[in-house]
Amino acid sequence: MKKEDRRPPSEKMAEKPFTVTRRVVQNTVTRYNYYYHAKLRLEKVLAGINAQRQDNYNVFLPFYPFTVEKLNLNSGELDSVIQKASVAVQIHDPRGRWIDDCFLLIGKAYYYKGDWENANNTFQYINTTFAPKKKSEYNTVVGRSEDDRLSISTREKQKDWFSRQFRHKSARNDAFVWQARAFLEQGKHDEAQSLLNILAADPYFPRRLNGQLAELQAWRFYKQGNYAQAIAPLEEAIKRSNSGRAQKARMNFILGQLYAAQDRQDSAIRAFRNVIALKPDATMDFNARVQIAKANVKANGGSLEESIAALQRMLRKERFIPFRDAIYYQMAALCANEQPERAIDFLQKSLKVESGNMLQKTLTFKGMADIYYATKDYASAQKYYDSTSLIMGADFEEAELVTTRKEALAEVTEKLRIMHLEDSLQTIAALSPALRDSMLSKQVAAIKAAKAAPEKSKEGTEENNSSQPKFTTNSGYSSPSFGPAPEAGGEWYFYNASTKSTGYSEFKRRWGNRTLADNWRRSQSTNLLAGNNNAPVPEADPVTDPAAAIANLPADSISTSLLAENLPDTPEKLKESRTRQLEAWYDLGKIYNDKLDDPREAILTYDSLLSRFPENPRRVEELYSLYIWHNRLNHTQEATRYKQLVLTQYPGTNFANILQFGLPKDEDKAKTGAVSAIYEAAYNAYRAGNYDTVAVLRKFADSAYGYSSLQAKFDMLEAMTIVKTSSEDSGKAAIAGIIAKYPGDAPILEQAKAIQEVLNRRQEITDYLAQLRVTRDSSGTAAVDENISIRYPWQTPKPNLPDSAATVVKGVDSAAVAASGVDSAAVVPAAPPPPPVTPYVLGDEKAAVPHFVVLYFNRVSKVLIDEAVAQFSKYNAEQHPADKLETSSFVLTPSEIMVIVRLFPDENKALGYFDEVTRVAPTAIIPRIKPTEYKFFIISRENFILLNNTKDIEGYKKFFGVNYITE
């Protein structure tokens, strides 16, 4: 039986004579039946990419109209290119001229997929397999040395015009270029530069690829940010490249941008005029003219008014009607620094223009925000940054800056609101009662009148609001048809992956990133300046935001007494109000410096704070911050003054030690390790009761290493040792010294205050513990319940018991008791009837009733509560970022403290979260807390208000167990 030959057809054909007839047939079939169609499909994919992109011409353009990592291509289209070319390779004679071109197409398809490993392997395979084998050329793959010049290229016959135009070119030389391009995409700049240097010096590298070689050299410098070095190879690429008119226009535009960045305005104008001469698409043509107007402002003989006049003339031309919003934006950009109010007017006009260009809307909103930010109008800046973030695309160049400023300015706005609110409330509270009541009455009347006024139609407001963008389809750009493309052959467009991808990209270009929701045009476009509609509205806190809490109440519920409840008219309320004001003022300075990088505004904030409240609790930290910020701005005299204030007024504090001995982070790793080892030994000695060893180790650390990052911990350990070994007064003095020395070290300060509180109540605790009884089991062993609920004496007031002699027990006949011979003291009166159960109610489970999820602890422990708050905050931020859940502790009574997670929009959401955390809390959220220490339940907002009023936690737990069904 003859053995079956399973070799691929290409191997079988390679054994047959390669006659002229076979040569012609194989080359023709490979080229026109396979290579040609695979190439057309790849060009179609790339054409779709170019049509989808919307460039930002106000920053350096990307060198190519796409980046591989952001192509978002349908891999099926590229896989079909690979399949088509692979079939050609497998079924045709490997000696044909178009086999290497098919491999090159395969490598390009892998390149556009971002599959670098297969792309590099394919280009390397072309290099090794199709290396020239004739005796007149080299026989090695790496290269040869001739006349001290290394050559790796395949020689191409280019002596006459016919050879250059019609003779088949070897794809191996193109593979070298694409190999270098793949290296650059991967960030392997050294490998790319080595290959490019070899090709540039190769005497046999074909001249037809010199333009692409220069293009890659320019791209390498451009990617690395070496813009000055990119100019020369870019000029060479423009002269020699055969990349097509569109790419040549893009390179001319980039060249003009590079010249403008080098302040070579005349050269920049010449480059932009070359762009116009190449007749690019309408958008690039328009932006080239805009760049000429910009360059003219800085060029010799140019002026601002001349450039603005040129742009105004463009407004009157019909062909620039689709770009009127961009023209107004560019006019604003020209005068933003010198005439910000005029720039704002131009930007407002830009927003009034009907356009579907979402990138331009993004730039206009950001331009408004930047001007307000520069002029310190942070409230307006935050509003426009918020609008920018809502409509900007994922690949917007300055997306990170917009997001950072939006979040920081939201914090600034909130802190300013708290400061002004508390200031106003304190001012009103200080008025005479008559004047205060009169002012509150007027305010109540104003609020009721505002609530009674008919609300305007939202749609009418949208139409009349000039700052709101109006989205239409009159964009001036070509958009894809929603019918099947001619080449689709009648295929329904929703089955065509390429059409769907193009349509989705066009939608994002026109409308921005929008969440999937009903009536999205109305619900999202009308509130651009108000933020994201889909985000849950946080519940107003009546303490920190009384105005918002009152605004949610019906008009008939508002009265002067309600408004007066928020006034700090008692010493305790005034202290709380001042504390909130001081915290907001302090945080505001930190935000200005840390998040907005504005130390000047931070200095003004702390100067005002110290002027208004010179003796606030954080004065030393504020003085130290002022020293750091003035030093950063090279204000030597002011920095020295604040440094002396810290050293003279707060000697021995952590901040003074830092100023004297340097920051702890400056110490080297060896010192840190040695000091840490000494501290660990000292701490172990303290726990073992070897207090003399603690003192010895402390002195050794000071003498051997001086001030270190563990100085505060050593001082705390020494004070704790004094408490253990010395008199009560000495211990109190040592702890008080720690509190005074480290007011800004929160962990040390918290621990010291806790010890101070215990020392101050030592006798009270001793008396309380002396009255405790220890129960013993049958074996005589003392039993200790780890879950016992302990209420400290200062947490529970002493009961006001009536005199036993005056007590009359109802329902008990004393004469009968005496006659029975039973001791009357042993008679226990009947228990009073239990209090009525709190009337908790179940809401309609289909209604959107806000709910909380509560973590209830069986005993009071600050450590457990703090850890639970921290861990649940971290878990919610990682697992439920879109829900924007808040985690906080809530004191129901001094002995009953809960952790609350809020706000869930309805009962089902709360129950889903309840089931989730009940399952994962013991292992993933709070594994260090025993499951016996806590219980979960959910509660509606109305029931929570009842619970807060009645304090009947046991009643609600019973109500929850009966009425809620959970997994």
Side-chain angles (χ1 to χ4, degrees):
M1 181 175 180
K2 186 177 180 181
K3 186 177 180 181
E4 183 180 359
D5 190 353
R6 296 186 178 181
R7 291 180 301 165
S10 58
E11 290 188 16
K12 300 176 183 176
M13 290 185 180
E15 297 177 353
K16 298 179 181 180
F18 200 44
T19 62
V20 175
T21 302
R22 175 176 292 277
R23 186 194 305 267
V24 172
V25 170
Q26 289 294 316
N27 288 338
T28 303
V29 173
T30 305
R31 179 179 183 181
Y32 293 108
N33 283 13
Y34 292 91
Y35 171 77
Y36 175 76
H37 292 288
K39 183 181 178 183
L40 279 183
R41 186 173 289 273
L42 181 61
E43 290 175 351
K44 177 185 174 183
V45 172
L46 297 182
I49 298 170
N50 297 340
Q52 294 170 27
R53 184 173 180 87
Q54 191 173 15
D55 286 312
N56 181 1
Y57 288 87
N58 297 285
V59 297
F60 283 129
L61 283 186
F63 200 88
Y64 293 104
F66 54 82
T67 52
V68 171
E69 64 272 11
K70 296 180 181 179
L71 284 180
N72 194 26
L73 291 176
N74 178 13
S75 59
E77 294 285 339
L78 292 173
D79 287 339
S80 66
V81 175
I82 296 172
Q83 182 182 11
K84 193 79 171 177
S86 298
V87 170
V89 169
Q90 294 169 9
I91 68 174
H92 293 137
D93 197 307
R95 294 166 291 185
R97 289 183 175 180
W98 296 95
I99 298 297
D100 56 345
D101 297 271
C102 291
F103 274 113
L104 185 63
L105 275 182
I106 294 172
K108 289 180 181 181
Y110 280 128
Y111 170 88
Y112 288 116
K113 286 182 65 175
D115 187 348
W116 308 120
E117 181 179 1
N118 282 324
N120 287 327
N121 289 340
T122 304
F123 297 138
Q124 189 66 32
Y125 178 81
I126 296 173
N127 173 25
T128 56
T129 304
F130 297 96
K133 298 297 188 293
K134 294 182 180 180
K135 293 183 179 180
S136 59
E137 302 185 56
Y138 66 89
N139 295 319
T140 60
V141 173
V142 176
R144 66 174 180 180
S145 179
E146 182 176 309
D147 300 329
D148 297 328
R149 291 179 297 176
L150 182 65
S151 174
I152 62 173
S153 304
T154 299
R155 297 183 66 174
E156 295 181 3
K157 296 182 179 181
Q158 300 177 337
K159 294 182 179 181
D160 52 34
W161 179 86
F162 180 84
S163 297
R164 290 193 298 270
Q165 297 297 323
F166 298 104
R167 195 175 185 87
H168 177 265
K169 311 297 190 302
S170 171
R172 183 169 176 270
N173 295 322
D174 299 81
F176 283 128
V177 175
W178 279 90
Q179 180 89 63
R181 188 167 176 172
F183 283 149
L184 289 175
E185 282 286 5
Q186 297 174 79
K188 298 180 179 180
H189 296 287
D190 293 338
E191 291 89 335
Q193 182 58 40
S194 299
L195 181 55
L196 291 175
N197 288 342
I198 293 174
L199 295 177
D202 193 329
Y204 300 118
F205 188 73
R207 286 177 294 174
R208 66 180 178 88
L209 295 176
N210 282 340
Q212 294 188 37
L213 204 61
E215 190 176 312
L216 290 181
Q217 289 281 15
W219 186 34
R220 183 178 70 86
F221 288 124
Y222 197 69
K223 281 178 67 73
Q224 293 177 312
N226 299 327
Y227 298 125
Q229 299 179 51
I231 291 177
L234 187 56
E235 290 177 332
E236 182 72 14
I238 292 172
K239 293 178 182 177
R240 296 175 176 268
S241 178
N242 56 356
S243 299
R245 189 176 65 182
Q247 180 60 21
K248 189 167 290 189
R250 174 177 288 270
M251 290 192 291
N252 270 292
F253 197 98
I254 293 173
L255 182 62
Q257 290 180 312
L258 295 178
Y259 278 135
Q262 299 293 321
D263 200 23
R264 297 167 60 180
Q265 305 301 335
D266 293 336
S267 298
I269 291 174
R270 185 174 63 253
F272 289 126
R273 285 175 177 164
N274 290 337
V275 174
I276 299 172
L278 286 167
K279 299 186 182 304
D281 61 80
T283 305
M284 183 173 287
D285 180 274
F286 162 74
N287 281 282
R289 297 176 190 275
V290 169
Q291 294 298 330
I292 291 174
K294 283 185 175 182
N296 185 62
V297 175
K298 301 178 182 179
N300 294 330
S303 66
L304 173 63
E305 295 303 326
E306 182 181 344
S307 294
I308 290 181
L311 292 173
Q312 287 175 333
R313 287 194 297 271
M314 292 174 64
L315 286 171
R316 296 190 290 269
K317 294 183 179 181
E318 183 177 357
R319 59 177 171 150
F320 293 126
I321 288 178
F323 304 101
R324 294 190 69 188
D325 54 344
I327 294 174
Y328 281 121
Y329 171 81
Q330 296 299 340
M331 292 164 68
L334 290 177
C335 60
N337 293 331
E338 300 177 2
Q339 303 170 11
E341 294 181 359
R342 187 183 183 187
I344 289 290
D345 182 58
F346 284 137
L347 292 172
Q348 292 284 8
K349 291 179 180 179
S350 176
L351 289 176
K352 293 179 183 178
V353 176
E354 293 188 2
S355 172
N357 189 343
M358 292 305 295
L359 176 59
Q360 185 55 59
K361 293 292 183 187
T362 303
L363 293 172
T364 304
F365 276 123
K366 183 181 178 297
M368 297 276 282
D370 289 341
I371 293 175
Y372 283 125
Y373 181 82
T375 56
K376 308 296 184 184
D377 186 352
Y378 291 128
S380 298
Q382 191 273 334
K383 178 177 65 172
Y384 282 101
Y385 278 129
D386 195 33
S387 301
T388 306
S389 67
L390 181 63
I391 63 174
M392 68 183 181
D395 57 348
F396 184 62
E397 296 285 345
E398 299 177 284
E400 184 177 355
L401 173 66
V402 170
T403 303
T404 301
R405 286 188 176 177
K406 180 195 73 170
E407 294 173 353
L409 290 176
E411 295 183 46
V412 168
T413 304
E414 176 62 16
K415 301 304 177 185
L416 289 172
R417 186 194 65 79
I418 294 174
M419 290 163 52
H420 296 156
L421 172 66
E422 299 301 336
D423 203 27
S424 301
L425 294 177
Q426 293 169 21
T427 302
I428 297 174
L431 297 174
S432 62
L435 185 58
R436 181 173 57 199
D437 291 342
S438 175
M439 181 177 293
L440 292 178
S441 298
K442 293 179 180 179
Q443 187 66 23
V444 169
I447 294 175
K448 289 185 176 181
K451 285 181 173 290
E455 295 185 359
K456 295 182 179 180
S457 171
K458 286 185 178 181
E459 294 185 3
T461 303
E462 180 185 356
E463 292 174 1
N464 297 328
N465 189 351
S466 61
S467 65
Q468 298 280 354
K470 301 176 179 62
F471 304 111
T472 69
T473 57
N474 183 20
S475 63
Y477 299 97
S478 58
S479 59
S481 171
F482 285 99
E487 62 272 22
E491 181 185 24
W492 194 39
Y493 52 86
F494 282 131
Y495 293 158
N496 190 315
S498 177
T499 304
K500 283 201 303 180
S501 175
T502 303
Y504 176 67
S505 299
E506 175 67 13
F507 179 88
K508 287 205 304 179
R509 183 191 69 77
R510 183 172 302 218
W511 298 101
N513 291 329
R514 296 183 176 275
T515 55
L516 184 62
D518 294 334
N519 300 320
W520 60 268
R521 293 173 185 263
R522 181 173 67 246
S523 63
Q524 296 194 17
S525 66
T526 58
N527 285 322
L528 285 179
L529 301 184
N532 190 348
N533 292 3
N534 298 322
V537 179
E539 182 185 13
D541 191 330
V543 177
T544 60
D545 195 357
I550 291 173
N552 295 330
L553 295 175
D556 56 1
S557 301
I558 301 172
S559 62
T560 55
S561 59
L562 179 64
L563 298 184
E565 290 179 1
N566 298 311
L567 296 178
D569 50 4
T570 65
E572 293 78 12
K573 288 184 177 180
L574 180 61
K575 182 179 179 181
E576 293 176 0
S577 176
R578 285 171 59 89
T579 299
R580 287 192 295 270
Q581 190 176 21
L582 286 171
E583 289 295 325
W585 218 319
Y586 172 82
D587 293 340
L588 183 62
K590 291 294 185 185
I591 294 170
Y592 280 138
N593 181 76
D594 299 343
K595 296 186 178 181
L596 295 179
D597 195 24
D598 190 352
R600 297 182 186 276
E601 197 68 26
I603 289 172
L604 291 176
T605 302
Y606 275 11
D607 282 342
S608 302
L609 173 58
L610 291 173
S611 175
R612 178 81 176 272
F613 305 100
E615 298 302 328
N616 69 81
R618 289 187 167 181
R619 174 179 167 83
V620 59
E621 188 170 353
E622 291 152 8
L623 292 174
Y624 177 79
S625 298
L626 286 169
Y627 158 74
I628 294 295
W629 297 337
H630 279 296
N631 201 40
R632 176 184 173 186
L633 296 175
N634 296 322
H635 299 166
T636 307
Q637 185 175 356
E638 288 296 312
T640 303
R641 182 170 72 87
Y642 284 111
K643 179 180 180 179
Q644 290 303 318
L645 286 175
V646 174
L647 294 176
T648 55
Q649 297 181 9
Y650 301 93
T653 62
N654 190 38
F655 299 102
N657 289 335
I658 291 175
L659 292 177
Q660 284 183 303
F661 306 109
L663 290 172
K665 68 179 182 180
D666 293 335
E667 64 191 32
D668 55 28
K669 293 182 180 180
K671 177 181 176 180
T672 302
V675 175
S676 298
I678 296 173
Y679 175 78
E680 185 176 356
Y683 182 72
N684 290 334
Y686 171 82
R687 295 186 62 183
N690 301 325
Y691 303 120
D692 293 339
T693 305
V694 175
V696 171
L697 292 174
R698 163 65 195 273
K699 290 180 180 179
F700 174 73
D702 288 345
S703 61
Y705 299 101
Y707 180 76
S708 70
S709 57
L710 297 179
Q711 192 73 26
K713 291 187 175 182
F714 270 116
D715 289 344
M716 187 67 203
L717 193 61
E718 185 179 37
M720 292 165 61
T721 303
I722 293 173
V723 171
K724 288 284 189 180
T725 58
S726 300
S727 64
E728 181 177 344
D729 292 339
S730 299
K732 290 182 178 179
I735 295 298
I738 295 296
I739 294 174
K741 187 174 183 180
Y742 299 104
D745 194 330
I748 295 294
L749 187 64
E750 183 179 353
Q751 185 180 3
K753 286 185 175 180
I755 296 175
Q756 186 182 53
E757 184 178 12
V758 173
L759 291 175
N760 291 336
R761 299 178 180 273
R762 173 177 285 183
Q763 188 59 44
E764 193 175 356
I765 295 174
T766 302
D767 295 341
Y768 175 75
L769 295 176
Q771 297 174 9
L772 291 179
R773 296 181 179 180
V774 179
T775 60
R776 298 180 180 275
D777 57 18
S778 58
S779 63
T781 304
V784 180
D785 184 5
E786 291 185 355
N787 297 322
I788 189 170
S789 298
I790 298 178
R791 205 180 271 205
Y792 293 103
W794 58 89
Q795 294 177 329
T796 306
K798 293 182 178 180
N800 184 17
L801 298 176
D803 187 358
S804 60
T807 303
V808 177
V809 181
K810 296 181 178 180
V812 178
D813 187 349
S814 58
V817 171
S820 67
V822 180
D823 186 3
S824 60
V827 176
V828 179
V837 178
T838 305
Y840 300 112
V841 294
L842 283 172
D844 183 1
E845 57 182 338
K846 295 183 179 180
V849 178
H851 276 66
F852 305 151
V853 174
V854 177
L855 175 64
Y856 173 76
F857 284 93
N858 298 327
R859 62 190 178 99
V860 177
S861 172
K862 188 177 185 305
V863 175
L864 296 181
I865 293 168
D866 290 346
E867 179 167 353
V869 171
Q871 293 301 321
F872 271 91
S873 297
K874 179 181 178 182
Y875 176 80
N876 292 333
E878 293 176 351
Q879 302 298 326
H880 299 275
D883 296 334
K884 298 185 179 179
L885 300 176
E886 296 181 0
T887 307
S888 61
S889 59
F890 181 83
V891 180
L892 185 65
T893 68
S895 61
E896 295 170 323
I897 302 178
M898 304 177 290
V899 174
I900 298 177
V901 180
R902 63 175 187 175
L903 184 70
F904 297 90
D906 53 45
E907 178 183 325
N908 290 332
K909 291 285 187 181
L911 282 173
Y913 182 84
F914 170 89
D915 294 334
E916 175 186 338
V917 297
T918 303
R919 184 176 64 257
V920 303
T923 57
I925 306 178
I926 45 176
R928 294 192 296 180
I929 302 178
K930 297 179 181 179
T932 56
E933 299 276 10
Y934 58 86
K935 297 291 184 183
F936 287 102
F937 61 81
I938 74 168
I939 185 169
S940 67
R941 182 158 52 188
E942 290 74 13
N943 285 337
F944 187 81
I945 295 173
L946 288 174
L947 175 62
N948 188 34
N949 291 333
T950 64
K951 314 298 182 186
D952 183 20
I953 185 67
E954 295 300 327
Y956 182 79
K957 287 164 66 177
K958 184 181 295 184
F959 172 83
F960 173 76
V962 172
N963 293 283
Y964 285 89
I965 300 176
T966 62
E967 292 183 1

